[in-house]
Amino acid sequence: MIKFPIQAQKFLGDKITVDKKIEIVPKRGVEAGYTRYLATSKKHPEGFEIRVEGGNAAKPTRRQEVLLTGVKLAQVRNRTPKGKYAYEYVIYADSLKLA
């Protein structure tokens, strides 16, 4: 998987809001474990996925704004329920801090 550094404020917008619900995905094979967040912003109101590698990511208690550092864009391959593959773009961040 190739990760491209991006300008987070230009691409995602100034205010990024994450949901209270998070999912901690354990390490599988060569892929490191990560924490999955569902987020929205004014530029992308339909929502997008943020992944923070490592198990010590912030845990929001409610829907709240966050600050991202080390933001990268990656194309990941996910398996569909029918057994086929779908390619999706995912935002990876080195750290996520609650604002």
Side-chain angles (χ1 to χ4, degrees):
M1 169 179 20
I2 300 172
K3 298 178 186 174
F4 297 100
I6 59 169
Q7 295 284 336
Q9 288 185 343
K10 287 183 182 178
F11 186 70
L12 300 175
D14 292 334
K15 294 183 178 183
I16 299 169
T17 308
V18 296
D19 290 338
K20 176 182 175 182
K21 183 182 172 192
I22 64 171
E23 180 182 352
I24 298 172
V25 179
K27 180 179 177 180
R28 290 183 300 191
V30 297
E31 185 179 276
Y34 58 87
T35 304
R36 179 190 293 170
Y37 299 88
L38 296 178
T40 59
S41 67
K42 286 189 177 183
K43 286 190 175 182
H44 298 281
E46 70 278 0
F48 53 93
E49 181 179 326
I50 299 174
R51 293 181 182 181
V52 178
E53 292 182 345
N56 54 356
K59 294 176 177 60
T61 57
R62 63 188 188 287
R63 185 168 170 79
Q64 59 191 123
E65 292 181 18
V66 294
L67 302 171
L68 301 174
T69 57
V71 181
K72 297 178 182 80
L73 180 68
Q75 185 181 33
V76 297
R77 185 174 82 165
N78 291 330
R79 187 180 291 268
T80 63
K82 291 186 176 181
K84 297 184 179 183
Y85 290 104
Y87 289 93
E88 298 176 350
Y89 288 100
V90 176
I91 305 297
Y92 276 87
D94 291 339
S95 68
L96 181 138
K97 296 179 183 175
L98 302 175

